[in-house]
Amino acid sequence: MKQHIFLASPHMSEEGYELEYIKEAFDTNWIAPLGKNVTEFEKELAMKLGTEKAVALSAGTAAIHMALKAVGVSQSDVVFCQSLTFSATANPILYEKAVPVFIDSDKETWNMSPTALELAFEKYKKKGIKPKAVLLVHLYGNCAQIEEILEICKKYQVPLIEDAAESLGSTYHGKYTGTFGDYGIVSFNGNKIITSSGGGMLLVNCEDAAEKAAKVLYWATQAREPALWYQHTEIGYNYRMSNIVAGIGRGQLKVLDKRVEKKRYIFEYYQRNLRDLDGISFMPIQSDTRSNCWLTAIQLEETCQVRPMDMIEALREADIESRPVWKPMHLQPVFADCDFISQMEKLSVIDEETGADNSICGQIFKQGVCMPSDTKMTEEDLERVCCIVKKLWG
């Protein structure tokens, strides 16, 4: 039988770098949420990306939460958040009892639309409300229109937080994603481009970065005061990264560039072999950007004879993993009462089964498929996937 092909799964280094760092942690008995691996992982990632400070945390979600606290988000504050994303982007807004306002995507990147963002600022300005932050996502590793969004944030004097959980290694005009906003988020979840089995990193790029990073570290370590006894003046969180997890991350960081190259090769392979099929298109990549192509995402036009679920089901029957594009947050039942800003003049439901609407991100969700993009895929695996897809076109 042919082996199962994963959408994306952990890929440890062939050189065994991870085991070296884990062994050192065991040998020195540093099996705690602090230690040499944690400290060095923070330094090494900050140096790699060119950011001021990095704080290792238990998850990318924890990093988003800490970023929101760091910019002062609290109860009833408004946060502008990209709608086309995973729920982990938006959930921390609710942790602080703040109010998410979801922003539509653009067709050029599938990420936050600068036009819709400007509309959101104008709408809330008329209400006398200034959002506390803009939360941008680089979807599937693809860079958003950062310059335009930064310009808008600067115009309204609102900090930008970059969710770069899926885009570690991607660059915009030669600079790494996650380093443009006041804060950036990186994830090392099991399916990310490099993994520590879990964990994340908060990148601190704003003024007084050392002071801000120290405050985040304080919150993430149960907000314990520097007293001999356990004393607390603020609510804290158990968000620190384990020294073992950090050891895996340090080893994985050594092969990041290699993993990016393989992901990009997978994207290019699918493009070469599938782009001539009628009605299929690929997630667009802007010029002067370099996507890590974490997941290769395609879109099937409305007129296409093949539907997204046809493709997903055909691959599933062959023991190959694929999945729909993220369902936008403004379409999720848990966020049903939240405002959504789109450049579309009138929104309407276009798919009763999924609840997809005619917004840009709603259409991308309805027509999108994430292709298997595992870095352990062989040429035979890629050919196998493409053969199954081509058969759907007869």
Side-chain angles (χ1 to χ4, degrees), residues 57-73:
L57 299 169
S58 58
T61 312
I64 293 173
H65 186 194
M66 293 293 92
L68 291 168
K69 279 186 69 68
V71 299
V73 171

Side-chain angles (χ1 to χ4, degrees), residues 189-204:
N189 189 34
N191 63 2
K192 295 301 185 290
I193 194 157
I194 61 170
T195 181
S196 54
S197 80
M201 197 82 76
L202 179 64
L203 311 177
V204 186

Side-chain angles (χ1 to χ4, degrees), residues 100-239:
V101 172
F102 295 110
I103 311 296
D104 202 356
S105 296
D106 59 46
K107 292 181 179 179
E108 291 76 21
T109 68
W110 294 13
N111 288 305
M112 184 181 284
S113 162
T115 302
L117 179 62
E118 184 83 55
L119 289 172
F121 271 112
E122 287 302 306
K123 177 177 179 178
Y124 278 81
K125 184 179 179 181
K126 289 175 182 176
K127 294 182 177 184
I129 298 173
K130 181 179 178 180
K132 272 294 179 72
V134 171
L135 186 44
L136 170 72
V137 182
H138 301 292
L139 190 71
Y140 301 135
N142 198 29
C143 301
Q145 297 196 55
I146 305 175
E147 280 185 339
E148 291 87 343
I149 290 168
L150 272 173
E151 189 176 330
I152 294 168
C153 290
K154 186 177 179 180
K155 175 181 174 181
Y156 293 95
Q157 297 183 312
V158 171
L160 175 66
I161 299 170
E162 285 179 85
D163 182 350
E166 300 171 358
S167 67
L168 179 59
S170 298
T171 59
Y172 180 91
H173 297 186
K175 184 178 178 182
Y176 285 107
T177 57
T179 65
F180 289 86
D182 295 79
Y183 295 91
I185 284 83
V186 175
S187 171
F188 306 110
N189 189 34
N191 63 2
K192 295 301 185 290
I193 194 157
I194 61 170
T195 181
S196 54
S197 80
M201 197 82 76
L202 179 64
L203 311 177
V204 186
N205 313 307
C206 56
E207 291 183 10
D208 304 319
E211 182 183 332
K212 296 287 189 182
K215 187 66 174 178
V216 166
L217 181 58
Y218 162 75
W219 287 325
T221 318
Q222 298 289 18
R224 183 184 175 186
E225 298 292 336
L228 180 60
W229 49 89
Y230 285 82
Q231 181 158 308
H232 308 270
T233 58
E234 293 186 54
I235 296 297
Y237 306 88
N238 184 18
Y239 279 169

